[in-house]
């Protein structure tokens, strides 16, 4: 999707159109930019940049807090359309997806015809622009869709992948970040073509497995890292976490506890979506001076209940918090998943059954009316404005996101 | 120390002690047996600190004394000797020499000083029928929790009253309860109550092998230990501490829908159908209808299966999910030919019992699965 968050904001407030817009929060707030409009990007504002830095670069920008529910809603609408085009859809982030179009030619026509149809249908259903890259690998499709922006379709014919990539900067390769880019520049590799000209063995000697993956990527192959599964293949998470940085550092125990409860609710909700139970709860605690501790606890029995996780994380917090110090950030991380339990419990007097029913109902309400529709009383004071990243650290995530 | 023993006697006692010897080698002395020659007997002691076994066999003692010797090595070797008399002699340096016919062997032992002292049995022991105790263990032991973190469920509750014995085990999903009238010498009407660890129950079963209806076990408990004395052999176990769940609350009161079935028929049917149950959950669906009980399974990977078993059943039609393994555990343990399945509804615990006139009680409660 092109400038997805900003475009959605423009649908609700057309006066934003064409202006420098920064989504993420107020200009003097703690936190980072979720998305920036094309006009703001001209000033050097980009996502993941601290809001205050964005303000320095572009003081005239309009700062809006962002509406995660709206983005999820629109992302969901797009997802519905995508599913009509291929049974194999992988949402790489809230505004990016891969479709495996193998075998759809008789139904949808040539790749370009299908892409045009998709482009039109997305526009018709959402009034949003998107860009589509068509290629024989996810890597080239991703890069070509970037090149097609804004509002374009680009088809890289099979066989021409390497020559399409050659003139582009190496940083265009997903996974080549600041550090890697720097290292490549040092040995004189600036363009993907330079990389493609390198001997595989030299790259491997220099960068290990990553070198081999890079060599493949330079030729347009989905080598290593993020692209090693089939499109739409569901990969189960190994851990789930949520964390929150306070607007102002705090040592108010009620507020801190409430935040932990709320974070626990959020991780438990995702845990249930995946149909798992968890056994290990980890607390992350960062003080104002940035000292960070993590402490984990193994539960006596696997659970997927909000209250169990909230209780465990609050206990960890009280066991380890130095109450003289103010807290900057809290996080709840869970791991050690096992499949959902279908066996009833004989000894808890129906407690887990009652909670399961209650949470099932609560989850339905959240699906329908949003995440804050219903929650634990003790977590109410811990609610915070949710932030979402449009296309976060420049990398396509592998995990398909479940659209709201 | 020097003594001679009959090979068969020694092998029999050594075999019994193997289950008690520490398997891990963190404390080397616990892999050893303590041998003591005194009077006209050889006393053998094994312990892993949780469990201890003291047993004995006749011996010709030439010089009284004691020493320790690696348990597994000793049994492995002695088992291979011919049926004859074995002479054992301990040297000052803790080495033991074994002589049997034309075989001569020296085994490295360890000083007996580091071998832990086992507690002595309290005076106020009572007697229990050994065969009954073993039978009660076989009816409950399978329901003990394998989750080590749930330590109060890692054993069975033993209640000794003046009218008999009660044993209860549960893993939180099912519960096995058995009550047997028995002549006990329980002193008052306040029942003696103790949690017996699973491992000790296994050893009791072995020690009561060959018991007759008259065989008794002397039983006593102190603050931390339980003592079971089978003639010349005594098993000592640490008690499990903690609160066992209130099992009486779990025993169903309102399960009025009763299906009566032939144990062998329903057992075979479940065994077959369960081949196509999900491997992890072992879930099967059991449908109760007038005149028959139907059992279904299906698994995405392997296929599906169903069977019908004739049954006397008058209640409303019910379909309930169960873990096949849980049902089979009971069906394999219950001695009677006819069993009863008592139900309330799809979500409440079901209860299995032997049907008809039964001496003593056996009740097995199973929580359903969501289907």
């Amino acid at each position: 999707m092109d400038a997805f968050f900003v475009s959605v904001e423009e649908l609700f407030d057309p006066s934003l159109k064409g202006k420098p817009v920064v989504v993420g929060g107020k200009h003097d707030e703690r936190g980072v930019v979720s998305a920036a409009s094309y006009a703001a990007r001209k000033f050097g504002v980009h996502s993941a940049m601290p809001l205050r830095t964005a303000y320095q670069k572009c003081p005239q920008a309009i700062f809006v807090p962002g509406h995660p529910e709206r983005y999820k809603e629109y992302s969901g609408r797009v997802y519905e359309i995508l599913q009509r085009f291929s049974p194999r859809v992988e949402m790489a982030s809230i505004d990016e997806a891969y479709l495996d179009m193998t075998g759809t030619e008789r139904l949808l026509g040539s790749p370009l015809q299908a892409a045009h149809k998709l482009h039109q249908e997305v526009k018709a259903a959402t009034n949003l622009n998107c860009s589509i890259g068509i290629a024989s690998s996810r890597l080239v499709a991703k890069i070509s869709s970037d090149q097609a922006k804004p509002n374009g379709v680009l088809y890289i014919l099979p066989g021409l992948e390497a020559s399409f990539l050659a003139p582009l900067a190496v940083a265009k390769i997903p996974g080549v970040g600041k550090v890697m880019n720097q290292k490549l520049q040092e040995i004189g590799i600036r363009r993907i073509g330079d990389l493609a000209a390198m001997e595989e063995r030299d790259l491997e000697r220099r960068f290990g497995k990553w070198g081999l993956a890079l060599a493949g990527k330079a030729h347009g192959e989905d080598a290593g890292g993020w692209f090693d599964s089939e499109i739409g293949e569901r990969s189960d998470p190994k851990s789930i976490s949520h964390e929150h940085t306070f607007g102002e550092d705090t040592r108010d125990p009620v507020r801190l506890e409430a935040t932990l409860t709320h974070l626990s609710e959020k991780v438990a909700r995702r845990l249930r979506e995946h149909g798992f139970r968890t056994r290990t709860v980890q607390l992350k605690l960062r003080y104002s001076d940035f000292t960070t501790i993590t402490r984990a606890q193994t539960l006596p029995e696997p659970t997927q209940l909000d209250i169990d996780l909230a209780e465990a994380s609050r206990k960890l917090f009280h066991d380890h918090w130095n109450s003289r110090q103010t807290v900057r950030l809290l996080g709840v991380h869970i791991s050690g998943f096992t499949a959902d339990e279908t066996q009833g419990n004989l000894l808890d007097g129906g407690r887990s059954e009652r909670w399961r029913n209650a949470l099932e109902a609560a989850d339905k309400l959240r699906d329908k009316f949003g995440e804050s529709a219903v929650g634990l009383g003790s977590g109410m004071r811990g609610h915070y404005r949710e932030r979402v990243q449009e296309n976060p650290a420049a990398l396509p995530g592998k995990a398909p996101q479940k659209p709201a | 120390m020097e003594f001679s023993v009959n090979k068969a006697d020694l092998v029999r006692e050594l075999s019994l002690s193997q289950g008690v010897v520490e398997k891990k080698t963190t404390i080397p002395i616990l892999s050893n047996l303590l041998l003591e020659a005194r009077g006209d007997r050889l006393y053998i002691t094994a312990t892993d600190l949780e469990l201890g076994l003291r047993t004995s066999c006749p011996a010709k003692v030439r010089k009284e004394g004691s020493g320790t010797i690696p348990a597994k090595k000793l049994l492995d070797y002695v088992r291979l000797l011919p049926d004859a008399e074995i002479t054992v002699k301990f040297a000052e340096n803790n080495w033991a020499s074994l002589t049997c016919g034309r075989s001569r062997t020296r085994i490295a032992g360890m000083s007996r000083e580091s071998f832990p002292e086992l507690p002595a049995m309290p005076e106020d022991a009572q007697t229990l029928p050994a065969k009954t105790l073993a039978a009660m263990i076989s009816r409950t032991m399978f329901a003990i929790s394998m989750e080590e973190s749930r330590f109060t469920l890692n054993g069975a509750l033993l209640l000794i009253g003046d009218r008999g014995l009660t044993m209860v085990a549960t893993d939180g999903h099912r519960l096995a309860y058995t009550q047997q009238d028995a002549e006990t010498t329980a002193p008052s009407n306040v029942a003696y109550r103790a949690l017996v660890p699973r491992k000790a129950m296994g050893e009791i079963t072995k020690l009561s092998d060959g018991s007759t209806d008259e065989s008794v076990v002397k039983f006593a408990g102190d603050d931390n230990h339980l003592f079971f004395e089978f003639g010349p052999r005594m098993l000592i176990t640490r008690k499990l501490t903690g609160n066992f769940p209130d099992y009486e609350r779990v025993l169903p009161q309102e399960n009025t829908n009763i299906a009566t079935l032939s144990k062998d028929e329903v057992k075979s049917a479940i065994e077959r159908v369960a081949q196509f149950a999900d491997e992890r959950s072992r879930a099967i669906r059991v449908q109760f209808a007038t005149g028959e009980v139907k059992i279904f399974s299906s698994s995405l990977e392997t296929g599906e299966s169903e069977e019908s078993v004739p049954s006397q059943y008058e209640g409303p039609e019910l379909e309930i999910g169960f873990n096949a393994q849980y049902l089979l555990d009971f069906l394999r343990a219950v001695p009677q030919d006819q069993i009863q399945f008592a139900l309330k509804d799809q979500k409440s615990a079901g209860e299995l019992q032997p049907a008809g006139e039964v001496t003593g009680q056996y009740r097995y409660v199973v929580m359903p699965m969501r289907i």
Side-chain angles (χ1 to χ4, degrees):
Chain A
M1 302 304 295
D2 296 350
F4 180 55
F5 290 3
V6 175
S7 304
V8 173
E9 292 301 329
E10 284 172 1
L11 293 178
F12 289 86
D13 181 1
S15 74
L16 295 174
K17 268 193 186 148
K19 291 181 187 151
V21 178
V22 173
V23 180
K26 294 194 189 109
H27 65 84
D28 55 353
E29 247 182 357
R30 215 174 239 185
V32 293
V33 175
S34 302
S37 70
Y38 287 113
R41 289 184 205 182
K42 283 190 188 136
F43 291 90
V45 178
H46 58 78
S47 59
M49 170 184 277
L51 287 164
R52 289 167 190 169
T53 314
Y55 180 66
Q56 282 163 13
K57 287 194 183 273
C58 186
Q60 70 273 41
I62 303 165
F63 285 78
V64 295
H67 299 87
E69 308 297 334
R70 289 181 188 169
Y71 312 145
K72 280 182 193 159
E73 150 95 40
Y74 275 86
S75 178
R77 286 194 205 173
V78 174
Y79 180 65
E80 269 174 34
I81 296 165
L82 298 180
Q83 280 180 314
R84 296 207 293 264
F85 280 76
S86 166
R88 306 183 73 167
V89 179
E90 175 176 322
M91 292 300 281
S93 70
I94 196 163
D95 69 337
E96 277 188 328
Y98 295 100
L99 278 78
D100 185 343
M101 300 296 287
T102 311
T104 62
E105 283 209 335
R106 288 183 65 173
L107 199 62
L108 299 168
S110 72
L112 267 180
Q113 281 172 325
H116 274 292
K117 195 160 175 259
L118 176 59
H119 196 260
Q120 279 167 354
E121 287 196 21
V122 170
K123 182 78 181 177
T126 62
N127 210 17
L128 294 172
N129 291 336
C130 64
S131 298
I132 300 172
I134 311 163
S136 57
S137 69
R138 267 180 281 191
L139 176 92
V140 179
K142 161 139 179 89
I143 297 176
S144 67
S145 82
D146 281 344
Q147 296 303 107
K149 278 180 200 292
N151 208 18
V153 175
L154 184 57
Y155 180 19
I156 307 302
L157 289 165
L160 297 180
E161 291 88 354
S163 48
F164 160 69
L165 295 174
L168 302 175
V170 281
K172 287 272 181 189
I173 297 177
V176 175
K178 254 190 202 163
V179 179
M180 194 64 193
N181 195 20
Q182 184 70 37
K183 284 186 191 163
L184 290 170
Q185 302 285 333
E186 277 166 17
I187 56 169
I189 295 176
R190 293 176 210 294
R191 309 204 169 276
I192 301 179
D194 303 338
L195 195 60
M198 292 276 294
E199 283 285 330
E200 248 180 44
R201 265 175 297 154
D202 290 342
L203 284 169
E204 190 185 8
R205 206 173 306 133
R206 217 174 263 274
F207 303 113
K209 274 196 177 156
W210 234 114
L212 272 184
L214 272 180
K217 283 163 190 267
H219 292 98
E221 293 159 17
D222 285 345
W226 290 270
F227 296 122
D228 51 9
S229 65
E230 293 289 314
I231 288 178
E233 186 181 293
R234 209 184 147 94
S235 53
D236 290 326
K238 297 275 180 287
S239 67
I240 295 174
S241 64
H242 274 283
E243 51 186 54
H244 176 59
T245 306
F246 292 99
E248 274 168 39
D249 298 350
T250 178
R251 38 183 281 198
D252 170 8
V254 179
R255 175 111 194 269
L256 289 163
E257 276 201 15
T259 303
L260 282 173
T261 304
H262 186 55
L263 289 168
S264 303
E265 282 187 287
K266 289 171 77 94
V267 292
R269 161 111 156 111
R270 278 176 55 200
L271 185 67
R272 287 193 297 275
E273 279 180 357
H274 286 284
F276 286 140
R277 293 177 303 152
T278 184
R279 193 132 200 188
T280 307
V281 182
Q282 184 183 284
L283 167 81
K284 181 170 169 188
L285 173 58
R286 177 170 293 154
Y287 293 110
S288 301
D289 64 359
F290 277 84
T291 341
T292 307
I293 60 166
T294 55
R295 294 289 181 274
Q297 193 206 335
T298 301
L299 303 168
E301 269 186 283
T303 184
Q304 54 167 227
L305 303 184
D306 301 5
I307 40 161
D308 292 345
L309 298 184
E311 196 184 305
S313 56
R314 287 198 303 247
K315 184 174 185 312
L316 280 169
F317 175 72
H318 282 295
D319 289 350
H320 299 287
W321 177 39
N322 175 354
S323 58
R324 275 168 303 182
Q325 280 186 270
T326 52
V327 176
R328 178 185 167 86
L329 172 148
L330 283 176
V332 174
H333 171 111
I334 52 173
S335 56
F337 298 157
T338 51
D340 190 10
E341 179 70 291
T342 48
Q343 172 65 50
N345 189 317
L346 188 62
L347 301 177
D348 69 356
R351 171 187 176 270
S352 50
E353 185 68 29
R354 284 195 300 273
W355 269 105
R356 166 178 281 276
N357 292 339
L359 288 170
E360 206 171 285
D363 287 345
K364 274 186 194 151
L365 285 171
R366 288 165 178 160
D367 286 341
K368 199 164 176 188
F369 300 109
E371 290 305 311
S372 52
V374 55
L376 292 173
S378 56
M380 288 301 193
R381 286 196 59 197
H383 279 258
Y384 52 83
R385 207 181 61 235
E386 201 186 342
R387 296 177 201 280
V388 271
Q389 288 293 308
E390 195 166 60
N391 182 3
L395 305 176
K398 192 167 85 174
Q401 293 198 347
K402 196 173 166 180
Chain B
M1 175 173 65
E2 190 180 343
F3 61 86
S4 305
V5 283
N6 177 284
K7 181 231 172 176
D9 285 348
L10 187 59
V11 167
R12 187 186 62 237
E13 302 307 319
L14 291 179
S15 305
L16 282 170
S17 65
Q18 294 299 303
V20 177
V21 175
E22 173 73 26
K23 299 287 182 302
K24 298 176 214 124
T25 50
T26 37
I27 310 174
I29 189 74
L30 299 184
S31 310
N32 281 22
L33 295 173
L34 173 64
L35 304 184
E36 295 166 290
R38 206 176 333 115
D40 56 358
R41 291 191 86 81
L42 169 68
Y43 297 87
I44 302 167
T45 307
T47 181
D48 63 1
L49 298 181
E50 292 299 315
L51 214 55
L53 179 70
R54 202 174 150 76
T55 153
S56 68
C57 63
K60 289 187 204 116
V61 178
R62 269 180 284 280
K63 191 177 167 208
E64 292 195 342
S66 61
T68 80
I69 207 166
K72 187 161 187 307
K73 189 51 85 187
L74 181 64
L75 175 62
D76 288 350
Y77 175 71
V78 170
R79 205 178 252 155
L80 300 172
L81 289 173
D83 278 323
E85 201 174 67
I86 305 168
T87 302
V88 181
K89 192 173 169 184
F90 270 75
E92 289 295 313
N93 61 2
N94 299 320
W95 282 72
S97 318
L98 274 70
T99 319
C100 179
R102 298 159 70 99
S103 312
R104 301 176 65 81
T105 296
R106 294 203 317 134
I107 304 181
M110 290 171 81
S111 160
R112 76 141 295 171
E113 271 65 54
S114 47
F115 197 88
E117 199 70 41
L118 295 192
M121 189 163 190
E123 306 261 305
D124 57 346
Q126 44 182 311
T127 55
L128 311 175
K131 212 174 160 183
T132 303
L133 186 65
M136 294 175 81
I137 288 174
S138 71
R139 282 176 220 154
T140 50
M141 196 168 148
F142 55 81
I144 293 174
S145 176
M146 302 299 268
E147 286 275 351
E148 279 184 26
S149 59
R150 311 192 69 183
F151 50 87
T152 58
L153 303 186
N154 290 162
L157 176 69
L158 172 65
L159 296 171
I160 306 171
D162 51 1
R163 277 178 305 170
L165 307 177
T166 306
M167 193 173 268
V168 190
T170 179
D171 60 5
H173 299 151
R174 44 25 191 301
L175 177 143
Y177 165 99
T178 176
Q179 198 276 332
Q180 240 1 132
D181 293 339
E183 296 228 353
T184 66
T185 50
S188 66
N189 5 344
V190 183
Y192 181 86
R193 200 180 162 94
L195 286 179
V196 189
R198 184 201 3 244
K199 199 173 169 199
M201 292 167 73
E203 296 304 320
I204 293 170
T205 308
K206 278 189 223 161
L207 291 172
S208 49
D209 193 32
S211 299
T212 62
D213 289 339
E214 283 72 43
S215 309
V216 292
V217 49
K218 262 176 87 183
F219 168 80
D222 67 14
D223 289 346
N224 300 313
H225 304 92
L226 301 173
F227 302 79
F228 296 88
E229 193 180 274
F230 296 80
R233 302 175 186 135
M234 180 155 75
L235 183 77
I236 301 159
T237 175
R238 261 179 198 283
K239 276 199 236 182
L240 285 179
T241 52
N243 288 327
F244 194 78
D246 179 6
Y247 67 90
E248 281 173 327
R249 200 172 49 93
V250 171
L251 295 172
Q253 311 292 330
E254 307 158 31
N255 287 16
T256 48
N257 303 314
I258 293 170
T260 307
L261 297 147
S262 146
K263 175 186 72 177
D264 289 333
E265 278 177 11
V266 70
K267 185 172 77 182
S268 314
I270 293 176
E271 279 169 342
R272 285 187 291 264
V273 170
Q275 297 298 318
F276 298 90
D278 176 71
E279 270 184 37
R280 195 194 70 86
S281 75
R282 306 280 280 138
I284 51 170
R285 285 177 296 131
V286 186
Q287 203 179 70
F288 298 86
T290 309
E292 67 172 349
V293 168
K294 275 187 175 171
I295 301 150
F296 303 86
S297 66
S298 69
S299 143
L300 285 177
E301 285 93 41
T302 50
E304 53 188 32
S305 176
E306 89 172 68
E307 283 209 27
S308 159
V309 180
S311 143
Q312 294 164 33
Y313 180 74
E314 320 260 276
E317 202 161 294
L318 277 175
E319 183 172 293
I320 311 182
F322 285 110
N323 180 324
Q325 190 57 49
Y326 292 173
L327 301 186
L328 289 173
D329 283 342
F330 170 83
L331 295 169
R332 286 170 186 158
V334 64
Q336 286 80 7
D337 295 332
Q338 292 285 311
I339 59 121
Q340 273 189 1
F341 215 138
L343 308 152
K344 185 179 170 206
D345 54 42
Q346 200 188 33
K347 287 190 166 174
S348 307
E351 180 174 354
L352 284 154
Q353 290 188 44
E357 287 282 310
V358 180
T359 52
Q361 275 196 55
Y362 188 17
R363 304 178 67 179
Y364 184 62
V365 184
V366 195
M367 203 60 191
M369 303 180 81
R370 275 186 305 279
I371 47 172

